[in-house]
Amino acid sequence: DFAAHIKKEEMADTLKFAVIAFVILPFLPNKGYGPYELFNPFLIWSMVVFVCGIGFVGYVLMKWKGEKGLELTALLGGLVSSTALTSNFAQKSKKKVNLSYALAVGVIIANGVMFIRLLLEIFALNPTLFVEIFPIFAILAGATALIAYILWKRGKKAKDSKVELGSPFALAPALKFAIIFTLALVLVKLGNIYFSSKGIYLVSFLSGLADADAITLSISQLAGGSVSLDVAKKSILIAALSNVASKGAIALWLGGSMFRK
């Protein structure tokens, strides 16, 4: 049924996404270039694919499930990149004001999934650190679940309206996000080079602005060795919270007025 009703524009956008994900990405070198190997073409383009992919999957699920598709997209987006999903949903909220509640719930769900994802990463690399940090992350995940539920209940009371979909493929916002992500990674690498372990909290904060996974994986490997468990726990928490703060800034900057509230 989906294939029978696909539009010409949707087919063209599907082919565009296939090109950036399965033609361009595999051929990009996965190594650093420039001073201190700051620029990794594969990593940067991966973020373009993530942002476009979240928007594309969200479009398909919305067409299939209506507003419920946003919640499914949020779960998937939280597993891949909650920052990319926040950017995508915030921009969507300006055009789809009637979906503001659902989009906000989606962003909060993605954040909750991020905390769970970080816990799984820590457990895989350092079970001892996992035990130390689990109570804090459980509280954070529980808080996001509670807030998402409250907003979801409010959204159900709002008047239902027909979901109108635009193009499933938007490359420009993905490219802008990739540029911001790259700049943040450059700051992290330079901070790590010039401050080393003495500036681990600063590096964690800067890293979290763009991506909490990289610093979480790095610190988990060092915890209990060159980095104490206490410092590791605080560093990962700083990275996670700075990531939430950066997504809050993205939501305020890119989102519509109802979505920002």
Side-chain angles (χ1 to χ4, degrees):
D1 183 71
F2 182 84
H5 293 88
I6 196 168
K7 299 176 183 176
K8 183 178 180 181
E9 181 190 26
E10 293 168 343
M11 177 59 75
D13 285 341
T14 300
L15 294 174
K16 290 176 188 175
F17 178 69
V19 169
I20 72 159
F22 303 113
V23 178
I24 297 177
L25 182 64
F27 285 97
L28 293 176
N30 188 12
K31 63 178 183 177
Y33 289 93
Y36 304 113
E37 298 183 345
L38 292 174
F39 301 99
N40 184 319
F42 184 87
L43 179 62
I44 295 169
W45 197 254
S46 293
M47 291 311 301
V48 174
V49 174
F50 282 161
V51 177
C52 290
I54 288 169
F56 192 83
V57 170
Y59 180 92
V60 174
L61 290 174
M62 283 276 286
K63 193 166 184 178
W64 181 28
K65 293 288 188 179
E67 287 193 28
K68 291 181 180 179
L70 287 174
E71 296 159 12
L72 294 173
T73 306
L75 288 171
L76 294 173
L79 291 173
V80 178
S81 173
S82 53
T83 309
L85 181 131
T86 300
S87 175
N88 182 275
F89 275 23
Q91 293 178 80
K92 196 187 296 291
S93 70
K94 284 187 174 179
K95 299 177 181 178
K96 314 292 181 187
V97 179
N98 59 308
L99 294 180
S100 293
Y101 271 109
L103 291 166
V105 170
V107 168
I108 295 169
I109 288 174
N111 274 273
V113 174
M114 179 200 73
F115 293 129
I116 296 171
R117 186 185 74 231
L118 294 180
L119 275 176
L120 292 174
E121 292 172 358
I122 296 167
F123 178 76
L125 294 175
N126 196 322
T128 304
L129 178 60
F130 172 82
V131 174
E132 291 283 327
I133 206 168
F134 177 80
I136 301 171
F137 272 43
I139 291 171
L140 291 171
T144 56
L146 177 62
I147 295 169
Y149 177 74
I150 293 171
L151 275 184
W152 177 74
K153 292 290 285 184
R154 289 182 183 176
K156 284 187 72 177
K157 294 177 181 178
K159 184 179 179 181
D160 291 332
S161 53
K162 185 179 178 181
V163 178
E164 296 179 1
L165 302 174
S167 170
F169 182 82
L171 183 59
L175 291 173
K176 291 177 184 177
F177 179 79
I179 292 171
I180 296 171
F181 177 81
T182 303
L183 291 174
L185 282 184
V186 168
L187 288 175
V188 170
K189 289 187 178 181
L190 292 177
N192 196 27
I193 290 167
Y194 289 106
F195 292 105
S196 190
S197 59
K198 294 179 181 178
I200 192 168
Y201 292 144
L202 176 61
V203 172
S204 296
F205 175 78
L206 292 174
S207 177
L209 292 175
D211 177 61
D213 294 273
I215 194 70
T216 297
L217 293 170
S218 299
I219 292 176
S220 295
Q221 292 176 341
L222 301 174
S226 57
V227 177
S228 70
L229 286 174
D230 185 60
V231 171
K233 180 174 69 174
K234 291 176 181 176
S235 299
I236 292 174
L237 182 60
I238 288 171
L241 294 180
S242 71
N243 189 254
V244 172
S246 72
K247 283 177 282 193
I250 290 172
L252 290 171
W253 181 34
L254 298 177
S257 58
M258 181 65 73
F259 177 81
R260 289 198 296 267
K261 291 178 184 178

